[in-house]
Amino acid sequence: MPNQDFSNAKKLPPYIFGQINLLKQQARLHGEDIIDFGMGNPDQATPNPIVEKLIETVKNPATHRYSQSVGLPKLRKAIKDWYSRKYNVDLNEELEVVTCMGSKEGIAHLSLATLSPGDNVLVQSPTYPIHSYGVVIAGANLHSITLKDDTDKFLVDIEDAIKRSSLKPKMIIINFPSNPTTQYVSIEFFQKIVEIGKKYDIWIIHDLAYADIVYDGYKAPSILEVDGAKDIAVEFFTLSKSYNMPGWRVGFCCGNKELVQALIKIKSYLDYGTFTPIQVAAIKALNDCDNEVSEICSMYERRRDELCNGLNRIGWSVKKPLATMFVWAKIPEKYSKLGSLEFSKLLIEHANVAVSPGAGFGADGDDYVRFSLIENEHRTRQAIRGIKNFLSMEI
Ligand SMILES: Cc1ncc(COP(=O)(O)O)c(C=O)c1O
C-alpha cells in the first residue's frame, strides 16, 4: 500500500455539515419533505440580463480558449468603477485588483501565497470555515478570537492577543457583515482595526461577501474606505450572493498591491481564470444590475421577517439580522445542553427542518444554529409549524 500520510488533508477535521446532509438524504429517501435552511446557497435564478450576456458571449468561439487568471481588463475596470461608485474608493486596476474563481478560492490561495509554517494568524470566531482552514492548509498557526456581539471587546481582545504573542501575528482575517453570526460594523470599527494593523504591522484581510444583503437602512462599509487602509489591507467580494451567482464562481480581491500581487502570482500557476463568458457576464452584473441587487435584497428581507417573526411567535426568541442571508439562532434553553449538532439532528427528525449546526463555524458557535434564508415564505411558514410541534414535544 502506498504511503497514506496525506498530511494536508489530515489537518482538516471531518466536515460537520456532512452528518446533517446524510440525515437529510435519509429522511428524503423515506419520503419526508425536509425544509432546508442548511447551506448559504442562493436558491433563485441569476438575473436575466446577466444570463443573456453569458449566452451571447459563449457563442463566440474565441471565448472558449483559456481565459485570464487575473481577470479580463474590462472586468478589472468594472470592479474599479464598482468601488468608486459604491464606496468612493480609488483603485489601480492593474496593480490592486484580481478576480477569483469565487471568493472562497481567493481567500484560500491568498493564505497559501502569503503564510508559512510558524506564522501566527488571528481569525474572528465563529466564522465561515475557509477563513480559518485556509490558514491551517497553509501550515500557519490559527489563533481564533471570539466575537460575541461586542465589537469593541473584540478589538481589545485582538490587541491583547497581539501583545501576548511571543511571535507577532502576521495577519488578521475578518468578515463583516459576518457569516454565520450576522454581526455588522460601522466604518469606525474598520478605522480602529486598521489603526491596530498599522501600529503592529499586521496584514488585514476583510471578506465583504454580504455587502449588498443589508436591511432597515443599514449600509455595510468597505474597509478600503478607511484612509490608508490599502497600506495593509485587502478586501474580498463575491458575485455569488448579491447577484444570485453562486455556481458561476466569480469574485474578486482588491486593495494592498503586495497582497494582490502575491495572489496573482500563485493563481497564475494554479488556474487559467473563470471562463471568459462568465467574466463578461460579471461585467454586465457589476455595471448594470443595481436594481436586480435591490430586488434580491428585498426578497431576503421578506424571508427574514417571515422566519424571525414566526420563530419569535412560537417562543423561540431570535434577533432580526441587519445584514446577511442568515438568522443566527440561540438554541432554546430546554435543549441548550445538547449542543448544536444533536439539536440540529432533532430538528430534522421531529420538525422536518434542516439548519447548520453552529459548531461547524468553530467551537464558539456551539450554542447556536444557523438558518440560511433559502426557502420561500410559504415553505418558511410550513417550517415554523413543524418547529412549533417539535418544541411542544416532551423530548
Ligand atoms: C463570508 C463568506 N465568504 C465567502 C463565501 C464564498 O463565496 P464564493 O461563492 O464567492 O466562493 C461565502 C459563502 O457562503 C461566505 O459566506
Side-chain angles (χ1 to χ4, degrees), residues 39-42 100-107 127-128 130-131 175-180 207-210 236-241 245-247 249-252 325-326 370:
M39 227 181 136
N41 188 356
C100 309
M101 301 173 84
S103 57
K104 187 178 183 182
E105 178 273 319
I107 294 164
T127 197
Y128 180 63
I130 199 60
H131 299 147
N175 160 228
F176 297 101
S178 310
N179 174 13
D207 180 352
L208 185 60
Y210 298 96
F236 282 89
F237 178 72
T238 171
L239 276 73
S240 298
K241 317 291 173 160
M245 293 171 71
R249 312 312 299 134
V250 55
F252 48 83
M325 53 182 290
F326 307 111
R370 189 196 71 179

Side-chain angles (χ1 to χ4, degrees), residues 169-236:
K170 186 172 192 175
M171 185 178 276
I172 300 170
I173 303 179
I174 50 175
N175 160 228
F176 297 101
S178 310
N179 174 13
T181 64
T182 79
Q183 181 70 53
Y184 61 95
V185 292
S186 64
I187 192 70
E188 287 76 29
F189 173 89
F190 285 142
Q191 281 159 351
K192 288 179 192 158
I193 204 156
V194 167
E195 215 175 282
I196 293 175
K198 287 194 165 191
K199 181 168 163 194
Y200 297 99
D201 285 324
I202 300 175
W203 299 114
I204 300 178
I205 315 302
H206 179 237
D207 180 352
L208 185 60
Y210 298 96
D212 297 309
I213 315 300
V214 289
Y215 318 111
D216 305 338
Y218 172 66
K219 186 174 181 305
S222 154
I223 198 169
L224 300 180
E225 287 177 89
V226 176
D227 274 346
K230 272 199 286 186
D231 296 341
I232 53 154
V234 287
E235 186 162 76
F236 282 89

Side-chain angles (χ1 to χ4, degrees), residues 168 320 372 379 389:
K168 190 183 71 181
K320 262 189 195 179
S372 296
R379 302 262 302 158
N389 284 341

